[in-house]
Amino acid sequence: MRRSLHRRLGAWAADRFGWRPVREHVLERRVAKSPWYFGDGATMLALLGVLVVTGLGMMLTYSPHPDAAYSSIRYITERQPMGWFVRGLHYWSAGLLMFMTVWHVLRQILIAGYKFPREGTWLVGTAMLVVIVTMAFTGYLLRWDERAIHAVRVALHILGGVPWIGEALVVLVQGDEQPGARLLTRLFAIHVALLPLLLGALVAWHIYLVILHGVTSHGERKKLTHTAEQQKQRYKADAHDEEKGETFYPDTMAQSGAMAGIVLAIAVVLVVVRGPAALMPEANLTETSFPAEEWWWWWFSALVALLPPAVAPTFLVLFPLVVLIGMCLLPLVDRGPERGYRKRPLALGFVVLTVVLLVGLSGLRLRSPWTGWPVGEPPALPPDVMLAPEAETGRLLFARHGCTSCHSVAGAGGRTVAVDLAEMEAPRSRQYLDDYIRRPPPGVAMPAYEGWATEEEIQRLVDYVLVAQMFRTHR
Amino acid sequence: MERRDFLATAVITGGTVATAAVLGPVAWTALSPAWSDRRRGVWADVGTLEEFEIGKVTHAVVEVPRDDWAASLRRRGVFVWRQSEGNVTVFARSCTDLGCPVTWDPGNGWFFCPCHGGIFDRDGEPQRGPPKRPLHRYAHRVEAGRLMIDLDSIPPQAG
Ligand code: FES
């Protein structure tokens, strides 16, 4: 009697609240089996969820006015209980989302996820990519520290380079002729309302299409189909097959959920170990500062720095456009039946090349902390010179800490951005060099190495420069 | 016309008009900064001319004379180069490559950009690295011994 009441209540609720169709068409639907790493989509969804919740948490305190923004972030981080954790989780989830986005796109290219009948899924995904990247950028501008203000100004400079309408675009984003209150308000509105609403709609659409057309499965690579209709039949057959198919809940969800869980755990570990992004001094247009970008832009910075100056301005405007147009055209151009990467060397080559470039460029950037223009080699020694082991260590550090990005030594190695160390006005004492490397005098473009390099490393650098200043320049 | 066709046309037209009536004004006001409000000229006081030593480049901070403005950005750094008694140039801090703030190194007599190693000489002419255009110069005038600059006389992203 009780049991049947329970059942009847359940059935009533399922009918009146409308979740029966959801259960049938979403949870209990048959899908083609796929390996665990297909869970990257679910992982991104989980990260987005974390971003929404942590973002809402911070919005309760954050103040989007330039006079208060920075101190409200400080307050969240330093005073508000668990504030540092929430901010940290927001930051690291955003970074991981950027990472997973690249992963997801490259994986779809590898397994032809954009081919019929899933062109729409891919195009909606492309729109999501644009929104996610913009979110990742506008997010750290809200910190309103030196890094934020310079990041937005670099972006505005790139915008300003758009032919004819550049200046109007800048004023449009800034909301005014001068950077000020309206700029931050606009960034805030874009980051917390405009784009999230848009992204929410796109995510729902993307998932709807995934439910409708399924995702690429292993079976599809072996038995080729030539039309969208054939492909849909093939997918349906696989999904309902005992061997090749499974039920979405709980089989598929367990797997993709596991991946999402692992990535979320990584985010939490990162928050605990590294904490939220460090706050630089408050945004200003007066102090000497050394802008740096978030790590997910490292590759881009290195790329910008390595471009020949002649093509750089055009490239900056064209590059995002080319990526976008390329992604939109891809499903319309590549319509062959092959889906496996073994038979699609172009796709495989493209993905491998992209990964190599992303990792390689980020590595270059990492080795050159102060400029995106690294010179990795330590300056060569003049003939017949043998250094003491301490000074030799210093010579290697000289390249590792990016000194070579600005200084050459007796004409060797680096670029001549700053003074050649063998051509200083007069030989400097140990104390002088030590002080200078630690804290260059105000107004000098060199960064302070105190706190950046270890005590030991500073000593070795001094050992090297002390000797190197005596080298003679051979020209 | 069939009743169905008529209704379909009515729904589509009505929907479009209603959407336009709301979206239009919103889009207009949101985009308006791009064409209204431009280039009014905002003159800011840099200081008395005497403060700037002849033959030197000095970093000066000006107050943006707008009270509707956020305090954190109401101050702005500029470089004043006083070539001679009556001859002054005021440079913006933004590198003409991508806008990073340049610094003046009196030792080398150069402006350095920390981002991609751009260098400008004391005339603001690009010497090394990516920048191709000279540093932006503010329009200036001297009024009763005080140096004034027009903050709107450089591109909007370069302030
Ligand atoms: S921003 Fe100055 S050199 Fe690139």
Side-chain angles (χ1 to χ4, degrees), chain A residues 288 290 407 436-441 443-449, chain B residues 103 112:
Chain A
T288 307
F290 300 92
H407 294 285
Y436 202 102
I437 292 175
R438 270 173 217 282
R439 282 177 304 274
V444 170
M446 181 172 142
Y449 278 81
Chain B
T103 43
F112 286 108

Side-chain angles (χ1 to χ4, degrees), chain A residues 261-280:
Chain A
I262 290 171
V263 173
L264 288 190
I266 293 175
V268 171
V269 169
L270 283 167
V271 178
V272 173
V273 176
R274 306 292 308 266
L279 281 174
M280 310 192 101

Side-chain angles (χ1 to χ4, degrees), chain B residues 80-142:
Chain B
V80 180
W81 180 31
R82 181 129 188 244
Q83 291 106 305
S84 62
E85 181 59 45
N87 219 345
V88 191
T89 308
V90 185
F91 294 114
R93 287 201 327 154
S94 296
C95 176
T96 50
D97 175 32
L98 286 181
C100 291
V102 298
T103 43
W104 169 250
D105 182 359
N108 291 298
W110 272 342
F111 293 100
F112 286 108
C113 176
C115 284
H116 317 108
I119 297 178
F120 303 83
D121 65 12
R122 67 178 76 226
D123 289 312
E125 292 299 326
Q127 298 297 324
R128 301 274 160 76
K132 284 203 303 293
R133 274 162 301 141
L135 287 175
H136 300 288
R137 293 160 178 234
Y138 286 98
H140 69 272
R141 62 177 183 225
V142 180

